[in-house]
Amino acid sequence: MTNSIVNAEALGNTCRVLLTGGEYRPHRWDLAEYLSQQNIKSAHFNKSFSGVDGIDLVDDLMALDMDTANMDHLMISQSNNVFILIDHSKFREKSFIVFETNI
């Protein structure tokens, strides 16, 4: 399950892909809002892979907006194993919303 249009296109020919649904956000090439959050809440994941907009060892994970933070938080809380996908530019990058993960 993904909210990312880019990930859905990349994986679509190799495995089954479910989209979260929700409002399309063209600036992020993803889906968000209430419907996405409800669909994530109704699922359980053995593994999840989440990209974040910033990470800090003190402040935890960060996102640019509330919808992204809520969806990342939900996905992490519904997962047995969590993988955070970041590159070096995200370390110590302060972003608008900080969310706890308990991972």
Side-chain angles (χ1 to χ4, degrees), residues 9 11-12 19 22 45 48 50 71 74 83 92 100:
E9 288 180 348
L11 296 171
L19 290 168
F45 307 98
S48 69
S50 293
M71 290 189 351
L74 285 171
F83 299 86
R92 297 188 192 204
E100 295 180 15

Side-chain angles (χ1 to χ4, degrees), residues 43-50 72-83 103:
H44 180 81
F45 307 98
N46 184 39
K47 295 178 186 172
S48 69
F49 300 86
S50 293
D72 284 342
H73 177 76
L74 285 171
M75 182 69 77
I76 289 167
S77 68
Q78 298 290 100
S79 301
N80 291 339
N81 300 287
V82 176
F83 299 86
I103 54 174

Side-chain angles (χ1 to χ4, degrees), residues 14-57:
T14 60
C15 64
R16 183 174 176 216
V17 176
L18 300 174
L19 290 168
T20 59
E23 182 178 340
Y24 175 58
R25 302 187 302 176
H27 64 284
R28 290 186 72 112
W29 279 65
D30 70 4
L31 304 166
E33 299 288 337
Y34 180 79
L35 183 59
S36 295
Q37 294 172 25
Q38 291 305 112
N39 285 333
I40 292 169
K41 281 182 186 178
S42 70
H44 180 81
F45 307 98
N46 184 39
K47 295 178 186 172
S48 69
F49 300 86
S50 293
V52 296
D53 297 312
I55 188 169
D56 187 274
L57 296 177

